[in-house]
Amino acid sequence: LLDKLAEDHTFAADTLGVFGTPTLVFPEEQAVFVRLPQIPPPDESLAVFAEVRHLAERRQYIQEIKRPQRPGK
């Protein structure tokens, strides 16, 4: 098991540029790092996943989306 984990990690880092978790890898090696400050409600979880997948697979020109943090928050 440890050998397989090491192999997967090496592939992810060396081939896909993975640098942290959670990183999702979709077909055609489309990898995206996702940072969620909180877990989506259960009734939204599938939609959130589908939307992230859509961006990763079909909008490859989008490199990053980030919400600025307001001062004092």
Side-chain angles (χ1 to χ4, degrees), residues 4 40 45 55 57:
K4 178 62 175 150
S45 296
L55 283 173
E57 292 181 338

Side-chain angles (χ1 to χ4, degrees), residues 3-13:
D3 289 342
K4 178 62 175 150
L5 289 173
E7 179 183 322
D8 286 353
H9 172 78
T10 300
F11 172 79

Side-chain angles (χ1 to χ4, degrees), residues 4-66:
K4 178 62 175 150
L5 289 173
E7 179 183 322
D8 286 353
H9 172 78
T10 300
F11 172 79
D14 294 350
T15 305
L16 303 176
V18 170
F19 58 87
T21 59
T23 298
L24 305 174
V25 180
F26 297 107
E28 298 184 22
E29 299 181 351
Q30 295 301 315
V32 293
F33 173 81
V34 179
R35 181 176 165 215
L36 301 172
Q38 61 190 31
I39 297 172
D43 61 327
E44 293 183 22
S45 296
L46 189 56
V48 169
F49 179 82
E51 291 166 10
V52 169
R53 184 173 185 168
H54 178 85
L55 283 173
E57 292 181 338
R58 298 194 180 122
R59 306 288 187 248
Q60 297 172 18
Y61 44 82
I62 296 176
Q63 180 69 35
E64 182 174 349
I65 297 173
K66 187 170 184 175

